Amino acid sequence: MKKILITGGAGYIGSHTAVELVKAGYEPIILDDFSNSNPNVINRLSEILGKDVIYFEGDCNDKEVLESVYAAHAFEGVIHFAAFKAVGESTQFPLKYYQNNVGSLTVLLDFMQQKGVKNIVFSSSCTVYGQPDQLPVTEETPRKDAESPYGNTKKICEDILVDFVKSKAKVRVVSLRYFNPVGAHPSAKIGELPNGTPNNLVPFVTQTAAGIREKITVFGDDYDTVDGSCIRDFIHVMDLANAHVKALAYLEKQADCFYDVFNVGTGNGNSVLEIIKTFEKVNDLKLNYTIGPRRPGDVVKIWADTQKINQVLGWYPQYSLEDSLRDSWNWEKSLSGELA
Ligand SMILES: NC(=O)c1ccc[n+]([C@@H]2O[C@H](COP(=O)([O-])OP(=O)(O)OC[C@H]3O[C@@H](n4cnc5c(N)ncnc54)[C@H](O)[C@@H]3O)[C@@H](O)[C@H]2O)c1
Ligand SMILES: O=c1ccn([C@@H]2O[C@H](COP(=O)(O)OP(=O)(O)O[C@H]3O[C@H](CO)[C@@H](O)[C@H](O)[C@H]3O)[C@@H](O)[C@H]2O)c(=O)[nH]1
Protein backbone atom coordinates (compact mmCIF):
# COMPACT_ATOMS: atom_id res chain seq x y z
CA MET A 1 0.00 0.00 0.00
CA LYS A 2 1.30 3.44 -0.88
CA LYS A 3 2.05 5.42 2.25
CA ILE A 4 1.12 9.08 2.26
CA LEU A 5 2.20 11.50 4.98
CA ILE A 6 -0.70 13.70 6.06
CA THR A 7 0.56 16.62 8.08
CA GLY A 8 -2.30 18.03 10.14
CA GLY A 9 -4.14 14.76 9.57
CA ALA A 10 -6.10 14.99 12.82
CA GLY A 11 -7.61 18.31 11.76
CA TYR A 12 -10.91 18.97 10.03
CA ILE A 13 -10.00 18.43 6.39
CA GLY A 14 -7.06 16.08 7.06
CA SER A 15 -9.13 13.58 9.04
CA HIS A 16 -11.77 13.33 6.31
CA THR A 17 -9.03 12.97 3.73
CA ALA A 18 -7.56 10.07 5.71
CA VAL A 19 -10.89 8.27 5.25
CA GLU A 20 -10.92 8.88 1.51
CA LEU A 21 -7.28 7.80 1.17
CA VAL A 22 -7.95 4.46 2.84
CA LYS A 23 -11.00 3.95 0.62
CA ALA A 24 -8.74 4.48 -2.40
CA GLY A 25 -6.16 1.96 -1.16
CA TYR A 26 -3.55 4.31 0.33
CA GLU A 27 -2.10 4.07 3.84
CA PRO A 28 -2.27 7.47 5.52
CA ILE A 29 0.50 8.30 7.98
CA ILE A 30 -0.78 11.12 10.17
CA LEU A 31 1.58 13.66 11.72
CA ASP A 32 -0.13 16.18 13.98
CA ASP A 33 0.92 18.16 17.02
CA PHE A 34 -2.74 18.45 18.11
CA SER A 35 -2.34 22.22 18.42
CA ASN A 36 -5.80 22.57 16.86
CA SER A 37 -7.26 19.09 17.13
CA ASN A 38 -8.03 16.41 19.66
CA PRO A 39 -6.13 13.11 19.84
CA ASN A 40 -9.50 11.35 20.12
CA VAL A 41 -9.95 12.03 16.43
CA ILE A 42 -7.52 9.18 15.84
CA ASN A 43 -9.79 6.72 17.70
CA ARG A 44 -12.80 8.02 15.80
CA LEU A 45 -10.96 7.49 12.55
CA SER A 46 -10.13 3.92 13.54
CA GLU A 47 -13.82 3.32 14.25
CA ILE A 48 -14.82 4.61 10.81
CA LEU A 49 -12.09 2.67 9.05
CA GLY A 50 -12.34 -0.52 11.11
CA LYS A 51 -8.57 -0.62 11.51
CA ASP A 52 -5.73 1.02 13.38
CA VAL A 53 -4.59 4.38 12.12
CA ILE A 54 -0.89 5.14 11.98
CA TYR A 55 -0.14 8.46 13.62
CA PHE A 56 2.69 10.43 15.18
CA GLU A 57 2.37 13.33 17.57
CA GLY A 58 4.86 15.99 16.60
CA ASP A 59 5.63 19.23 14.84
CA CYS A 60 6.14 19.05 11.10
CA ASN A 61 8.58 21.96 11.34
CA ASP A 62 10.95 19.61 13.11
CA LYS A 63 13.25 17.70 10.78
CA GLU A 64 14.03 15.09 13.42
CA VAL A 65 10.34 14.36 13.76
CA LEU A 66 10.11 13.93 9.99
CA GLU A 67 13.15 11.65 10.10
CA SER A 68 11.59 9.39 12.67
CA VAL A 69 8.27 9.21 10.83
CA TYR A 70 10.08 8.42 7.59
CA ALA A 71 12.30 5.80 9.24
CA ALA A 72 9.18 3.95 10.41
CA HIS A 73 7.09 4.52 7.26
CA ALA A 74 8.90 5.54 4.09
CA PHE A 75 6.08 7.60 2.61
CA GLU A 76 5.78 8.16 -1.14
CA GLY A 77 3.84 11.39 -1.07
CA VAL A 78 2.73 14.18 1.21
CA ILE A 79 -0.51 16.07 1.75
CA HIS A 80 0.38 19.18 3.68
CA PHE A 81 -2.58 20.40 5.72
CA ALA A 82 -0.75 21.48 8.86
CA ALA A 83 -1.10 25.23 9.36
CA PHE A 84 -2.72 27.77 11.61
CA LYS A 85 -5.90 29.17 10.06
CA ALA A 86 -7.48 31.84 12.26
CA VAL A 87 -7.58 34.97 10.11
CA GLY A 88 -8.10 37.39 13.02
CA GLU A 89 -5.38 35.85 15.16
CA SER A 90 -2.97 36.07 12.23
CA THR A 91 -3.26 39.86 12.25
CA GLN A 92 -2.26 39.88 15.95
CA PHE A 93 0.50 37.30 15.72
CA PRO A 94 1.78 37.36 12.14
CA LEU A 95 5.12 35.74 12.94
CA LYS A 96 3.39 32.73 14.48
CA TYR A 97 1.59 32.30 11.14
CA TYR A 98 4.58 32.87 8.90
CA GLN A 99 6.71 30.54 11.00
CA ASN A 100 4.25 27.67 11.07
CA ASN A 101 2.56 27.98 7.68
CA VAL A 102 5.48 29.08 5.55
CA GLY A 103 8.27 27.58 7.67
CA SER A 104 6.75 24.10 7.69
CA LEU A 105 6.48 24.04 3.91
CA THR A 106 10.15 24.88 3.44
CA VAL A 107 11.20 22.22 5.96
CA LEU A 108 9.01 19.63 4.27
CA LEU A 109 10.20 20.42 0.75
CA ASP A 110 13.80 20.23 1.84
CA PHE A 111 13.13 16.91 3.53
CA MET A 112 11.29 15.53 0.52
CA GLN A 113 14.14 16.47 -1.77
CA GLN A 114 16.63 14.80 0.51
CA LYS A 115 14.63 11.55 0.57
CA GLY A 116 13.50 11.61 -3.05
CA VAL A 117 9.82 11.91 -2.10
CA LYS A 118 8.23 13.50 -5.13
CA ASN A 119 4.52 14.17 -4.76
CA ILE A 120 2.97 16.86 -2.63
CA VAL A 121 -0.55 18.23 -2.45
CA PHE A 122 -0.74 21.62 -0.78
CA SER A 123 -3.75 23.16 1.02
CA SER A 124 -4.26 26.57 -0.52
CA SER A 125 -7.36 28.72 -0.37
CA CYS A 126 -9.67 30.82 -2.50
CA THR A 127 -8.55 33.63 -0.19
CA VAL A 128 -5.73 34.17 -2.74
CA TYR A 129 -8.33 35.70 -5.12
CA GLY A 130 -9.31 38.39 -2.60
CA GLN A 131 -12.28 40.43 -3.82
CA PRO A 132 -12.47 39.10 -7.39
CA ASP A 133 -13.34 41.37 -10.32
CA GLN A 134 -15.03 38.60 -12.30
CA LEU A 135 -17.09 35.58 -11.34
CA PRO A 136 -16.80 32.68 -11.22
CA VAL A 137 -13.07 32.63 -10.52
CA THR A 138 -10.88 30.38 -12.64
CA GLU A 139 -7.36 29.31 -11.77
CA GLU A 140 -6.22 32.08 -14.14
CA THR A 141 -8.04 34.79 -12.23
CA PRO A 142 -5.35 37.13 -10.92
CA ARG A 143 -4.48 36.75 -7.27
CA LYS A 144 -4.90 39.86 -5.15
CA ASP A 145 -2.94 41.30 -2.26
CA ALA A 146 -3.81 39.27 0.81
CA GLU A 147 -6.21 40.75 3.36
CA SER A 148 -4.44 39.11 6.30
CA PRO A 149 -1.12 37.50 7.23
CA TYR A 150 -2.95 34.14 7.08
CA GLY A 151 -4.04 34.80 3.50
CA ASN A 152 -0.55 35.96 2.68
CA THR A 153 0.94 32.67 3.93
CA LYS A 154 -1.15 30.81 1.34
CA LYS A 155 0.03 33.11 -1.44
CA ILE A 156 3.65 32.85 -0.34
CA CYS A 157 3.45 29.07 -0.09
CA GLU A 158 2.06 28.85 -3.62
CA ASP A 159 4.96 31.04 -4.79
CA ILE A 160 7.51 28.91 -2.95
CA LEU A 161 6.15 25.80 -4.63
CA VAL A 162 6.31 27.42 -8.06
CA ASP A 163 9.88 28.61 -7.48
CA PHE A 164 10.92 25.21 -6.16
CA VAL A 165 9.59 23.48 -9.26
CA LYS A 166 11.24 26.12 -11.49
CA SER A 167 14.55 25.36 -9.80
CA LYS A 168 14.27 21.87 -11.36
CA ALA A 169 13.69 20.21 -8.02
CA LYS A 170 12.44 16.70 -8.69
CA VAL A 171 9.02 17.22 -7.20
CA ARG A 172 5.48 17.24 -8.50
CA VAL A 173 3.08 19.63 -6.88
CA VAL A 174 -0.63 20.31 -6.85
CA SER A 175 -2.01 23.29 -4.96
CA LEU A 176 -5.70 22.94 -4.19
CA ARG A 177 -7.52 26.20 -3.63
CA TYR A 178 -10.32 25.27 -1.29
CA PHE A 179 -13.53 27.25 -1.26
CA ASN A 180 -15.63 26.98 1.94
CA PRO A 181 -15.54 23.49 3.43
CA VAL A 182 -18.62 22.53 5.45
CA GLY A 183 -20.30 19.32 6.59
CA ALA A 184 -18.86 16.31 8.32
CA HIS A 185 -18.41 12.59 7.77
CA PRO A 186 -21.92 11.10 7.41
CA SER A 187 -21.24 8.85 10.44
CA ALA A 188 -20.93 12.03 12.56
CA LYS A 189 -17.81 10.51 14.15
CA ILE A 190 -15.51 13.25 12.84
CA GLY A 191 -16.18 16.88 11.91
CA GLU A 192 -14.99 20.41 12.49
CA LEU A 193 -13.89 21.31 16.02
CA PRO A 194 -13.64 25.08 16.27
CA ASN A 195 -11.60 26.49 19.09
CA GLY A 196 -13.73 28.81 21.26
CA THR A 197 -16.22 31.06 19.52
CA PRO A 198 -16.43 30.03 15.87
CA ASN A 199 -15.41 32.58 13.24
CA ASN A 200 -16.95 30.65 10.40
CA LEU A 201 -20.57 30.67 9.40
CA VAL A 202 -21.68 27.04 9.59
CA PRO A 203 -20.12 26.20 12.97
CA PHE A 204 -21.79 29.34 14.31
CA VAL A 205 -25.09 28.20 12.83
CA THR A 206 -24.86 24.72 14.36
CA GLN A 207 -23.79 26.06 17.76
CA THR A 208 -26.73 28.47 17.69
CA ALA A 209 -29.11 25.63 16.84
CA ALA A 210 -27.60 23.64 19.72
CA GLY A 211 -28.18 26.53 22.14
CA ILE A 212 -24.46 27.13 22.75
CA ARG A 213 -24.83 30.58 21.13
CA GLU A 214 -27.89 32.69 21.71
CA LYS A 215 -28.17 33.89 18.13
CA ILE A 216 -26.30 34.23 14.89
CA THR A 217 -25.67 37.63 13.36
CA VAL A 218 -25.71 37.95 9.60
CA PHE A 219 -22.85 40.32 8.83
CA GLY A 220 -24.56 42.70 6.41
CA ASP A 221 -27.66 42.40 4.23
CA ASP A 222 -27.02 45.47 2.08
CA TYR A 223 -24.46 44.08 -0.35
CA ASP A 224 -25.04 43.94 -4.09
CA THR A 225 -26.17 40.30 -4.06
CA VAL A 226 -29.42 38.42 -4.54
CA ASP A 227 -30.62 39.04 -0.97
CA GLY A 228 -27.99 41.51 0.25
CA SER A 229 -25.90 38.98 2.19
CA CYS A 230 -22.46 37.71 1.12
CA ILE A 231 -22.05 34.74 -1.20
CA ARG A 232 -19.68 31.78 -0.90
CA ASP A 233 -19.11 28.41 -2.53
CA PHE A 234 -19.78 25.84 0.22
CA ILE A 235 -18.29 22.43 -0.42
CA HIS A 236 -18.87 19.23 1.55
CA VAL A 237 -15.69 18.21 3.33
CA MET A 238 -15.95 14.64 1.98
CA ASP A 239 -15.96 15.98 -1.58
CA LEU A 240 -12.99 18.17 -0.74
CA ALA A 241 -11.25 15.16 0.82
CA ASN A 242 -11.81 13.16 -2.33
CA ALA A 243 -10.18 15.88 -4.44
CA HIS A 244 -6.90 15.11 -2.63
CA VAL A 245 -7.08 11.47 -3.68
CA LYS A 246 -7.70 12.52 -7.27
CA ALA A 247 -4.83 15.00 -7.07
CA LEU A 248 -2.43 12.32 -5.82
CA ALA A 249 -3.40 9.94 -8.62
CA TYR A 250 -2.83 12.78 -11.09
CA LEU A 251 0.61 13.56 -9.65
CA GLU A 252 1.64 9.93 -9.93
CA LYS A 253 1.25 10.22 -13.73
CA GLN A 254 3.38 13.36 -14.10
CA ALA A 255 7.04 13.84 -14.90
CA ASP A 256 9.32 15.57 -12.38
CA CYS A 257 9.35 19.34 -11.95
CA PHE A 258 5.59 19.63 -12.23
CA TYR A 259 3.24 22.23 -10.78
CA ASP A 260 -0.50 22.62 -11.16
CA VAL A 261 -3.30 24.35 -9.31
CA PHE A 262 -7.03 23.62 -9.02
CA ASN A 263 -10.05 25.29 -7.54
CA VAL A 264 -12.02 22.96 -5.30
CA GLY A 265 -15.57 24.20 -4.99
CA THR A 266 -19.00 23.22 -6.24
CA GLY A 267 -19.29 25.99 -8.80
CA ASN A 268 -22.41 27.33 -6.99
CA GLY A 269 -22.64 30.43 -4.87
CA ASN A 270 -25.00 30.54 -1.90
CA SER A 271 -25.75 33.53 0.26
CA VAL A 272 -25.46 33.61 4.04
CA LEU A 273 -29.25 33.95 4.31
CA GLU A 274 -29.71 30.98 1.98
CA ILE A 275 -27.50 28.93 4.26
CA ILE A 276 -29.60 29.85 7.27
CA LYS A 277 -32.87 29.06 5.45
CA THR A 278 -31.60 25.80 3.99
CA PHE A 279 -30.25 24.75 7.38
CA GLU A 280 -33.65 25.41 8.95
CA LYS A 281 -35.44 23.50 6.22
CA VAL A 282 -33.32 20.35 6.03
CA ASN A 283 -33.08 20.02 9.79
CA ASP A 284 -36.65 21.13 10.50
CA LEU A 285 -35.80 23.78 13.08
CA LYS A 286 -35.76 27.54 13.55
CA LEU A 287 -32.60 29.55 14.02
CA ASN A 288 -32.43 32.71 16.07
CA TYR A 289 -30.71 35.20 13.79
CA THR A 290 -30.41 38.95 13.40
CA ILE A 291 -28.96 41.22 10.79
CA GLY A 292 -25.88 43.09 11.93
CA PRO A 293 -23.25 45.37 10.40
CA ARG A 294 -20.86 44.27 7.69
CA ARG A 295 -17.74 42.38 8.81
CA PRO A 296 -14.65 44.41 7.91
CA GLY A 297 -12.61 42.91 5.09
CA ASP A 298 -15.33 40.48 3.96
CA VAL A 299 -15.29 39.27 0.38
CA VAL A 300 -18.71 40.14 -1.01
CA LYS A 301 -19.13 37.23 -3.39
CA ILE A 302 -17.02 34.41 -4.66
CA TRP A 303 -17.59 31.03 -6.20
CA ALA A 304 -15.45 28.69 -8.24
CA ASP A 305 -15.23 27.89 -11.89
CA THR A 306 -14.71 24.13 -11.58
CA GLN A 307 -14.17 23.20 -15.22
CA LYS A 308 -10.49 22.52 -14.74
CA ILE A 309 -10.83 20.11 -11.83
CA ASN A 310 -13.84 18.45 -13.49
CA GLN A 311 -12.03 17.89 -16.76
CA VAL A 312 -8.44 17.27 -15.68
CA LEU A 313 -8.94 15.36 -12.43
CA GLY A 314 -12.37 13.93 -13.27
CA TRP A 315 -13.56 15.24 -9.91
CA TYR A 316 -17.18 16.20 -9.36
CA PRO A 317 -18.89 16.91 -6.05
CA GLN A 318 -21.19 14.13 -4.85
CA TYR A 319 -22.84 15.91 -1.93
CA SER A 320 -25.48 18.66 -2.06
CA LEU A 321 -25.71 21.75 0.12
CA GLU A 322 -28.57 20.03 1.93
CA ASP A 323 -26.31 17.04 2.66
CA SER A 324 -23.64 19.39 4.00
CA LEU A 325 -25.98 21.21 6.35
CA ARG A 326 -27.60 17.99 7.55
CA ASP A 327 -24.21 16.40 8.23
CA SER A 328 -22.97 19.55 10.00
CA TRP A 329 -25.97 19.43 12.29
CA ASN A 330 -25.64 15.68 12.95
CA TRP A 331 -22.02 16.28 13.87
CA GLU A 332 -22.90 19.13 16.23
CA LYS A 333 -25.52 16.94 17.91
CA SER A 334 -23.05 14.11 18.34
CA LEU A 335 -20.46 16.27 20.06
CA SER A 336 -19.98 15.06 23.57
CA GLY A 337 -17.59 16.11 26.31
CA GLU A 338 -15.12 13.63 24.86
CA LEU A 339 -14.35 15.55 21.69
CA ALA A 340 -15.62 19.05 22.47
N1 LIG B 1 -11.11 25.10 6.82
C1 LIG B 1 -11.07 26.05 5.89
O1 LIG B 1 -12.01 26.82 5.72
C2 LIG B 1 -9.89 26.15 4.97
C3 LIG B 1 -10.02 26.87 3.78
C4 LIG B 1 -8.91 26.98 2.94
C5 LIG B 1 -7.70 26.40 3.28
N2 LIG B 1 -7.61 25.72 4.45
C6 LIG B 1 -6.33 25.11 4.79
O2 LIG B 1 -6.48 23.70 4.89
C7 LIG B 1 -5.60 23.17 5.86
C8 LIG B 1 -6.38 22.33 6.85
O3 LIG B 1 -7.39 23.14 7.43
P1 LIG B 1 -8.37 22.57 8.52
O4 LIG B 1 -9.64 23.34 8.39
O5 LIG B 1 -8.40 21.10 8.48
O6 LIG B 1 -7.63 23.08 9.83
P2 LIG B 1 -7.42 22.35 11.24
O7 LIG B 1 -6.89 23.36 12.18
O8 LIG B 1 -8.66 21.61 11.62
O9 LIG B 1 -6.30 21.28 10.89
C9 LIG B 1 -4.94 21.60 10.86
C10 LIG B 1 -4.22 20.54 11.70
O10 LIG B 1 -2.83 20.81 11.65
C11 LIG B 1 -2.30 20.63 12.95
N3 LIG B 1 -1.05 21.42 12.98
C12 LIG B 1 -0.91 22.77 12.91
N4 LIG B 1 0.39 23.09 12.91
C13 LIG B 1 1.09 21.93 12.98
C14 LIG B 1 2.48 21.59 12.99
N5 LIG B 1 3.41 22.53 12.95
N6 LIG B 1 2.84 20.29 13.04
C15 LIG B 1 1.89 19.32 13.09
N7 LIG B 1 0.56 19.58 13.06
C16 LIG B 1 0.17 20.86 13.02
C17 LIG B 1 -3.39 21.05 13.90
O11 LIG B 1 -3.27 20.47 15.17
C18 LIG B 1 -4.63 20.56 13.16
O12 LIG B 1 -4.95 19.23 13.56
C19 LIG B 1 -4.87 24.36 6.46
O13 LIG B 1 -3.65 24.52 5.77
C20 LIG B 1 -5.80 25.52 6.16
O14 LIG B 1 -5.11 26.74 6.10
C21 LIG B 1 -8.67 25.57 5.30
O1 LIG C 1 -21.36 34.60 12.43
C1 LIG C 1 -21.19 34.76 11.23
C2 LIG C 1 -20.09 34.18 10.53
C3 LIG C 1 -19.95 34.44 9.18
N1 LIG C 1 -20.86 35.20 8.53
C4 LIG C 1 -20.70 35.45 7.09
O2 LIG C 1 -20.62 34.22 6.42
C5 LIG C 1 -19.80 34.35 5.27
C6 LIG C 1 -18.75 33.26 5.31
O3 LIG C 1 -17.86 33.55 6.38
P1 LIG C 1 -16.75 32.53 6.91
O4 LIG C 1 -17.40 31.22 7.25
O5 LIG C 1 -15.96 33.21 7.95
O6 LIG C 1 -15.90 32.23 5.60
P2 LIG C 1 -14.95 33.18 4.73
O7 LIG C 1 -15.10 34.59 5.08
O8 LIG C 1 -15.24 32.83 3.32
O9 LIG C 1 -13.51 32.69 5.15
C7 LIG C 1 -13.21 31.29 5.29
O10 LIG C 1 -13.07 30.65 4.07
C8 LIG C 1 -11.96 31.10 3.27
C9 LIG C 1 -11.97 30.31 1.98
O11 LIG C 1 -11.81 28.96 2.22
C10 LIG C 1 -10.66 30.91 4.04
O12 LIG C 1 -9.62 31.40 3.29
C11 LIG C 1 -10.76 31.67 5.34
O13 LIG C 1 -9.59 31.42 6.05
C12 LIG C 1 -11.95 31.15 6.12
O14 LIG C 1 -12.09 31.84 7.34
C13 LIG C 1 -19.20 35.76 5.31
O15 LIG C 1 -19.95 36.59 4.49
C14 LIG C 1 -19.42 36.19 6.75
O16 LIG C 1 -19.62 37.58 6.90
C15 LIG C 1 -21.94 35.75 9.19
O17 LIG C 1 -22.76 36.44 8.58
N2 LIG C 1 -22.08 35.52 10.52
Side-chain angles (χ1 to χ4, degrees), residues 127-182:
T127 194
V128 298
Y129 298 117
Q131 198 83 252
D133 299 322
Q134 275 191 326
L135 287 164
V137 289
T138 74
E139 290 77 0
E140 305 304 319
T141 298
R143 298 180 313 164
K144 293 264 177 85
D145 284 349
E147 295 272 349
S148 68
Y150 166 74
N152 209 23
T153 66
K154 293 297 167 191
K155 246 180 116 192
I156 292 171
C157 284
E158 286 192 358
D159 292 343
I160 288 172
L161 288 163
V162 169
D163 285 346
F164 195 50
V165 167
K166 273 193 202 151
S167 78
K168 303 270 180 284
K170 289 196 166 80
V171 288
R172 310 155 181 170
V173 183
V174 160
S175 291
L176 295 179
R177 291 180 180 154
Y178 310 158
F179 283 66
N180 290 56
V182 289

Side-chain angles (χ1 to χ4, degrees), residues 85-87 124-128 150-151 154 178-181 198-205 216-220 223 229-232 234 272 276 294-295 298-300 302:
K85 63 167 183 177
V87 176
S124 189
S125 167
C126 70
T127 194
V128 298
Y150 166 74
K154 293 297 167 191
Y178 310 158
F179 283 66
N180 290 56
N199 294 309
N200 297 117
L201 178 64
V202 171
F204 212 106
V205 164
I216 171 147
T217 303
V218 175
F219 298 141
Y223 288 105
S229 62
C230 292
I231 294 181
R232 296 290 186 276
F234 296 93
V272 173
I276 290 178
R294 294 178 173 194
R295 184 172 72 175
D298 239 344
V299 169
V300 179
I302 187 164

